[in-house]
Amino acid sequence: MKTMTHRGSYAGNILRVDLTKGNIRTEKTAPYARDWIGGRAVNSVLLFNEVDPMTRWSDSENLLIFGAGALAGTLAPGACRTSIETINVFSNGKGSANVGGHFAPELKYAGFDHVVISGKSEKPVYLWLHQGRAELRDAAHLWGKTTFETEEALEAAHAPQRIRIACIGPAGENRVRGSGVICDRAKVAGGSGVGCVMGDKKLKAVVVCGEGGSITVARPDAFFRAVDAAMKKVRESSLAEKMRTVT
C-alpha cells in the first residue's frame, strides 16, 4: 500500500500490529477523527473501547498505542507531540505519556496517524514504517543496547534514508516500571511506565521514514492566517524571548 495524501492534516490510516501472530493491517482514521481530535483523544478511545477493564499492564491483551497530534506535521507552532497510551504499570488504570521532537510528523509522512500494538513477540523485534508500508524486523542484535547505541545502529542500517526512532533501552527491556520511550536521543515519554510495557512486548523500537510523504489541511488560506497570527504572538512573547536568550 502506497502513502496517500489525506485532507484535514491527517495521514488517513491507523496501523494495527499483532506481535503475537505477526499480523499487520490498517484501517481508516476518519471514523475516529470525526468525533475525537488528535493523538491522545483517539488513542484513549481505542484503549477504552478495546481493552477489558480487568486487563493488567503485563497481559498480552494490553495495547500500546502511538498517536500523532492532529496538527503534527503542519506549520502550526508547537505541533510536534506524540502521545502514547497503555495500561498504567503503577495502577493498572489508564496510562498516558507524550513526547515532542520529530517522530510524530515523520509518522504522518510515513502514512499513519496512529499505531496500535497488541500481543507479545517471542523474540525482540522492531517495527519499520515507510511509504504506507509496515514490517516487523528482527531486533536481537539491538537487545541490550542503550537508546543512543540503538539509534546509531538503526541509522546506520537504514542509511541514507532519514529516519526517526522511538525506542527503549535496557531499563525498558528489563521491565523497570519507571522506564520511558526515547525519541530523538534525548526526548522522553516518561509517564505511566510506557517503556516497561514496550519492553514486556519485546518491541525494541518503532522506526519511521516519511520520505516522499505529505499531508494537507482542509482550508489552507484560513489555516495559514491562523499560523501567522500564532507565530506573531510567539515572536512578541516575553517568555519566548527569554527562552531564546543564551545566558
Side-chain angles (χ1 to χ4, degrees):
M1 181 184 65
K2 294 182 179 180
T3 304
M4 297 181 63
T5 299
H6 180 82
R7 291 185 65 81
S9 81
Y10 290 97
N13 298 300
I14 295 174
L15 181 70
R16 290 184 177 268
V17 180
D18 184 335
L19 294 175
T20 300
K21 298 178 180 179
N23 293 340
I24 297 174
R25 64 182 177 89
T26 60
E27 65 178 297
K28 296 301 181 183
T29 307
Y32 300 94
R34 279 194 290 266
D35 296 318
W36 307 95
I37 299 174
R40 185 173 184 178
V42 174
N43 283 5
S44 298
V45 169
L46 291 166
L47 191 70
F48 286 139
N49 287 348
E50 300 181 18
V51 178
D52 187 282
M54 299 306 293
T55 301
R56 299 184 65 81
W57 71 266
S58 56
D59 290 343
S60 180
E61 293 77 13
N62 184 20
L63 299 179
L64 181 68
I65 311 173
F66 291 76
L71 294 178
T74 73
L75 292 178
C80 64
R81 309 301 291 187
T82 302
S83 190
I84 306 174
E85 267 65 40
T86 189
I87 298 296
N88 191 314
V89 304
F90 298 102
S91 67
N92 281 301
K94 179 182 181 293
S96 183
N98 74 86
V99 60
H102 299 279
F103 184 85
E106 203 77 12
L107 178 64
K108 283 191 177 180
Y109 299 150
F112 305 101
D113 300 299
H114 303 266
V115 180
V116 183
I117 299 163
S118 61
K120 294 185 182 184
S121 176
E122 293 184 356
K123 60 181 182 180
V125 293
Y126 76 90
L127 180 62
W128 164 242
L129 308 179
H130 179 45
Q131 293 185 337
R133 298 180 176 89
E135 178 186 349
L136 287 169
R137 296 187 174 184
D138 180 67
H141 63 296
L142 301 173
W143 207 250
K145 291 185 181 295
T146 67
T147 55
F148 276 36
E149 292 168 340
T150 298
E151 290 208 13
E152 288 174 355
L154 287 169
E155 286 169 352
H158 289 279
Q161 293 170 311
R162 186 189 68 180
I163 61 174
R164 299 295 179 180
I165 302 164
C167 68
I168 57 171
E173 294 172 3
N174 288 288
R175 304 195 304 176
V176 174
R177 294 201 175 198
S179 57
V181 176
I182 312 299
C183 296
D184 294 345
R185 281 184 166 77
K187 297 176 175 61
V188 185
S192 305
V194 293
C196 175
V197 175
M198 195 163 166
D200 186 60
K201 293 181 178 296
K202 284 193 166 55
L203 179 64
K204 180 63 174 180
V206 180
V207 183
V208 295
C209 177
E211 188 177 81
S214 65
I215 57 174
T216 63
V217 293
R219 293 186 292 163
D221 292 342
F223 176 76
F224 289 122
R225 285 196 298 271
V227 168
D228 288 342
M231 289 302 300
K232 183 174 183 294
K233 289 184 178 181
V234 171
R235 286 192 296 269
E236 295 174 351
S237 167
S238 59
L239 178 59
E241 181 61 33
K242 289 178 181 177
M243 294 175 70
R244 286 192 292 264
T245 302
V246 178
T247 57

